[in-house]
Amino acid sequence: MADRYLHLTGTATGRFLTRRLGLPQPAHLRRWSLETPTLPGPVVHLTAKDSAVTDELATVLAACGPEVVARADRPAGIVLDATAVDTAAGLGAVHAALHPVVRSLAPGGRVVVLGTRPSPEDHHQAAAQQALEGFVRSLGKEIGKGATVQLLRLAPGAVAAAESTLRFLLSPRSAYISGQVIELTDAAPGPVADWAAPLAGRTALVTGAARGIGASVASVLARDGAHVICLDVPQAQDELTRTADRLGATALPLDITADDAAGRIAAAAPDGLDILVHNAGITRDRRLANMPADRWAQVIDVNLDSVLRTTDALLENGTLRHGGRIVATASIAGIAGNNGQTNYAASKAGVIGLVRSLAPRAAAGHGVTVNAVAPGFIETRMTAAVPLFIREAGRRMNSLSQGGLPVDVAETIAWFAQPASSAVNGQIVRVCGQSLLGA
Ligand SMILES: NC(=O)c1ccc[n+]([C@@H]2O[C@H](COP(=O)([O-])OP(=O)(O)OC[C@H]3O[C@@H](n4cnc5c(N)ncnc54)[C@H](O)[C@@H]3O)[C@@H](O)[C@H]2O)c1
């Protein structure tokens, strides 16, 4: 269902009228394409206080693609190193660094603030570093013009581990992500022979890949060099085969809730899997008072239980290779809750619990990372079925005043999946344009 309002505000008359009426002004988001692979201008590297990582960060930023400069009239990105800010007074340096430049940021620009984890031993450092979270979330809400703002917390001395993440955040691939806090570990990044095909030689399985977000995930993973196995229910076989054929992928018609699902996946990937994307999901909405047990059970089974079962089995039987990546699909409904979705929100919150608990153990025991995307309002068949008024509210109630596209979720999953993203573990990254719902 096309977003007609977004189209209207893209015309001169529509813009004039909607401005006069004080209505939202969604900006056209610049997404990755062969023609627009990078930001349209330089990235300014600023430091809020004498930082121990300035030189190393400069080297990593220089490798990321965009030109890096100390100042620019119209920067397309700003990276502020606030890792050394450890007192309330020191926060003044954050204001001093960004206040003069934020207005000159190009439309669709990127602001990335670098911090460290709030310390459990030093409450002054913890206060200052936690303050950056409120700062970033507020700046994301006020910056406008399709620009985004994130806080990236580095592990001490692990700047090199941030390269794949900085590349992602400072690119058109992260167009629909804003107001996020991402924490990195100090895990050494895996090797990258070619940043244009970072998944070359890797095998990925995507569930629910016949259509919607799953088809887009399969497409982006294939674009980045992976061989993809597309799984979907046998009833969707025609659509599944079309998607797989288009991508040179393998089709695996299979209900993910089947008892033998993990065995069938292992058989379809005899040389093992590097990337496992749990994307299949269903809704069976009703208020709890009207919800029969079968609607509850179906949603928990597809969205959560099958994710737990297949994850356990594919880790235990060694199908997921060392250095592998597991990516699950949560939802902002699992963070904020939603009227009529107790089953769905429970299943998606369960996914978040699974990721947070398993991530450190999977990394220690198997060298595998576990992360989740939490999409907000994404334009798919699932959201086209939402009643008009609620659909319009879902589209506009975020800092970018528009819905996301399946490719926005897919790009995020492709970043998690990279060998160089070893330091990204246990993260729940919302792809929601900084929705007003939830934290
Ligand atoms: N669209 C959104 O706005 C949005 C928001 C938040 C989260 N999500 C999540 O993103 C994921 C994809 O959503 P979408 O909008 O593309 O949905 P969709 O309904 O368009 O696609 C889901 C796919 O999963 C498949 N599937 C369902 N049950 C299955 C099973 N038992 N075994 C194998 N495949 C199965 C379906 O056949 C379908 O192809 C879901 O997990 C959904 O909960 C979507």
Side-chain angles (χ1 to χ4, degrees), residues 53 80-83 85 112-119 125-137 150-159 161-162 165-166 169 179-187 415 423-425 427:
V53 300
L80 173 66
D81 176 1
T83 53
V85 174
V112 179
V113 176
L114 300 178
T116 56
R117 271 182 202 203
S119 162
Q125 186 274 2
Q129 287 296 323
Q130 190 68 33
L132 296 177
E133 188 170 323
F135 171 79
V136 157
R137 291 200 205 276
Q150 331 288 346
L151 173 60
L152 183 59
R153 289 190 178 137
L154 304 180
V159 179
T165 301
L166 284 166
L169 295 178
Q180 293 304 289
V181 180
I182 299 164
E183 276 192 18
L184 301 185
T185 71
D186 60 1
W415 154 59
V424 188
N425 195 24
Q427 300 302 295

Side-chain angles (χ1 to χ4, degrees), residues 207-214 231-233 236 254-257 279-282 302-303 329-332 344 348 375-383:
T207 71
R211 66 176 203 215
I213 295 173
L231 179 153
D232 212 299
V233 287
L254 173 66
D255 187 326
I256 197 65
T257 64
N279 163 79
I282 58 169
V302 175
N303 296 4
T329 306
S331 163
I332 58 166
Y344 183 76
K348 296 300 188 180
F377 185 98
I378 306 294
E379 305 280 356
T380 65
R381 224 185 275 183
M382 194 184 251
T383 47

